[in-house]
Amino acid sequence: MKILFVEPVGTGLPPLGLLYLISVLKKKGFNDIDFVSINPAVNSKARSQEYFEDLLAKKPTVVGISSTTPAWHKAIEFCKKAKEAGAIVVVGGPGPSIWKKQVLEKYPFIDYVVYGEAENIIADLMQALQKNELPINVNNVIYRNKKGEIIVNEFAGFIFDLDLISFPDRAQLDFKTYHGAFAILTSRGCPFQCEFCSKPVHGDLWRFRKPENIVNEIKQIINDFPAEFEKVKRRIVIIDDTFNLNKERAKKIADLIIQENLNIEIACINGFHVKSVDLELFQKLKQAGLVEVWFGVESGCEEILQNIGKGITLDDVRNAINLAKQAEIKMVGAHFIIGLSNETKETALKTITFAESLNLNTLGFNHANILPGTKLWNYVKEHGKILFETDGF
């Protein structure tokens, strides 16, 4: 049974979701697995649409395509090509996890939808497809029965013990094309209710890996990819939504890295939460190798922060940044968003002025990305209009 996994719009970060699934399947004996994350900008054959078409020519039994909501229009193109090549087409990821049965209602060339976290069910699904059976008893799967009726199987719930999941299979990565080649995910889910945030796969419930498990993954990276790891200056990129939600756990991770003398650089590129910090946390992380930390600030206006459900104040932001600087973290940055609900020219200017007042090395401004299933999406539907095609969903 040949399986091909596809990320239709790739970035500088490896698609860990697919790499986790590949690892799980290989443990279950599915060894004929190909993978492509498409990004024409990096000028690599291994990340090109041409390579995807070469892999399709090998006639995979199943093509699994993972898609975010913004990439869905591109994912559809790849689904069509996969079906034309005779493959069984399975979609998953944030987009399909939001739309669920609507995907099969609209697109006859898509055979199965997997919603939510898939590590505990992917092997069962592939085993059913290998036997040419419908996945009647496989949770988190949506399919058409023999009468053409769309069946939504029961949701299995979230995976609580993340330490039981195999480490991602990074062997097929074209490392030089990823700025965060050795990204790791130490927790899943986020309990905060920011209006712009979409969490259809990992949800609101924060679940975390034990420090020992995380350090073992870093050791595996060091041992399995020594040359590639050296080329990126031994940098580990932590991509959790809220890595420091439990700051004592974060300190234990730092302690273990120091104890094991791993000699790594650490970058926390997503929104480090400004409330769950103290000086000891940054000092320990600095000793463990932290060279870059970004805070999720979003707005420099107290009213906007209250409206969006961020649960922070401007004083919290100032305090967290000052602590990071006091610990002498080399690169301290902050993420901001312009265009959240109730934003005006005046509030946007407040954000810019506030950002200029902070002791930062770098910062990033983004426009509000309106994602289906979020409070911001509902706000726009009620108070304005969406100025782009949403494919009817």
Side-chain angles (χ1 to χ4, degrees):
M1 185 179 183
K2 294 180 184 293
I3 301 169
L4 169 59
F5 281 114
V6 182
E7 183 184 36
V9 180
T11 68
L13 294 171
L16 289 184
L18 290 180
L19 302 186
Y20 272 116
L21 298 187
I22 292 171
S23 181
V24 169
L25 286 171
K26 285 185 176 179
K27 277 201 163 184
K28 293 289 185 176
F30 293 90
N31 293 312
D32 196 347
I33 303 176
D34 285 314
F35 159 82
V36 59
S37 170
I38 296 165
N39 185 352
V42 298
N43 194 28
S44 165
K45 173 68 183 294
R47 301 196 64 187
S48 66
Q49 183 161 336
E50 179 188 356
Y51 184 56
F52 164 72
E53 290 169 359
D54 289 347
L55 294 174
L56 271 189
K58 294 167 63 176
K59 295 296 179 183
T61 315
V62 178
V63 175
I65 297 175
S66 177
S67 179
T68 60
T69 49
W72 183 244
H73 68 288
K74 198 70 180 173
I76 290 303
E77 294 179 21
F78 290 101
C79 289
K80 284 180 182 176
K81 289 181 181 292
K83 181 51 66 178
E84 289 166 1
I88 298 168
V89 179
V90 181
V91 296
S97 292
I98 292 173
W99 301 314
K100 296 184 174 70
K101 68 182 293 186
Q102 290 175 284
V103 173
L104 296 190
E105 288 171 347
K106 184 159 187 177
Y107 302 107
F109 47 84
I110 296 175
D111 300 300
Y112 299 93
V113 172
V114 174
Y115 64 99
E117 295 173 335
E119 286 90 352
N120 282 356
I121 62 93
I122 191 66
D124 292 338
L125 173 61
M126 292 301 170
Q127 286 165 358
L129 300 184
Q130 191 174 37
K131 297 174 185 175
N132 200 27
E133 296 175 352
L134 291 175
I136 296 169
N137 298 313
V138 182
N139 291 329
N140 295 36
V141 174
I142 304 169
Y143 65 98
R144 299 181 190 89
N145 65 16
K146 292 181 180 178
K147 296 179 182 178
E149 301 165 329
I150 296 174
I151 307 299
V152 181
N153 284 355
E154 184 179 348
F155 177 53
F158 297 111
I159 300 171
F160 286 96
D161 193 345
L162 301 180
D163 292 343
L164 296 179
I165 303 174
S166 306
F167 299 146
D169 188 316
R170 297 178 169 89
Q172 297 188 58
L173 290 179
D174 185 12
F175 290 103
K176 67 182 181 298
T177 65
Y178 295 94
H179 65 73
F182 294 101
I184 66 172
L185 192 64
T186 80
S187 65
R188 293 183 180 183
C190 178
F192 300 102
Q193 300 298 315
C194 301
E195 68 172 14
F196 54 84
C197 187
S198 178
K199 301 174 281 186
V201 176
H202 297 316
D204 298 332
L205 183 66
W206 190 70
R207 294 149 291 136
F208 57 90
R209 295 165 56 192
K210 293 184 179 68
E212 293 80 5
N213 184 259
I214 296 159
V215 168
N216 284 340
E217 181 178 359
I218 296 172
K219 286 180 177 178
Q220 184 196 65
I221 288 169
I222 294 169
N223 292 331
D224 290 358
F225 308 103
E228 294 85 354
F229 195 48
E230 290 296 333
K231 284 180 181 177
V232 298
K233 298 181 179 178
R234 302 179 67 85
R235 173 169 286 217
I236 295 292
V237 178
I238 296 175
I239 61 171
D240 299 33
D241 287 332
T242 47
F243 168 70
N244 65 318
L245 185 64
N246 182 331
K247 64 185 176 188
E248 297 308 316
R249 167 185 170 269
K251 291 175 186 178
K252 288 179 182 176
I253 294 170
D255 285 338
L256 265 184
I257 292 171
I258 296 164
Q259 180 183 318
E260 296 282 349
N261 194 28
L262 297 183
N263 186 28
I264 60 174
E265 285 189 358
I266 302 170
C268 290
I269 62 172
N270 280 353
F272 216 76
H273 204 276
V274 297
K275 268 192 176 298
S276 185
V277 295
D278 59 27
L279 181 59
E280 183 185 43
L281 172 64
F282 289 117
Q283 288 173 334
K284 284 178 177 286
L285 286 171
K286 167 76 184 302
Q287 191 179 350
L290 182 66
V291 295
E292 182 176 350
V293 61
W294 286 75
F295 295 100
V297 179
E298 323 317 351
S299 178
C301 174
E302 294 280 12
E303 293 80 6
I304 297 291
L305 287 178
Q306 290 175 13
N307 286 337
I308 67 175
K310 187 74 180 176
I312 65 174
T313 67
L314 299 185
D315 282 342
D316 292 330
V317 174
R318 294 185 186 98
N319 177 61
I321 291 171
N322 288 337
L323 290 174
K325 297 297 286 188
Q326 191 177 335
E328 300 182 341
I329 306 302
K330 183 178 180 181
M331 181 73 69
V332 179
H335 297 292
F336 294 90
I337 300 173
I338 298 293
L340 297 166
S341 63
N342 297 307
E343 186 87 275
T344 65
K345 181 179 179 181
E346 288 72 26
T347 61
L349 287 172
K350 279 186 180 180
T351 293
I352 294 169
T353 300
F354 178 69
E356 289 175 337
S357 75
L358 298 171
N359 186 15
L360 295 168
N361 301 106
T362 184
L363 53 81
F365 278 91
N366 297 285
H367 63 78
N369 193 3
I370 306 166
L371 300 173
T374 63
K375 293 176 184 176
L376 185 59
W377 176 274
N378 295 333
Y379 175 89
V380 172
K381 298 278 275 190
E382 182 179 350
H383 297 282
K385 59 182 179 179
I386 296 169
L387 303 177
F388 55 86
E389 271 298 325
T390 64
D391 205 24
F393 292 137

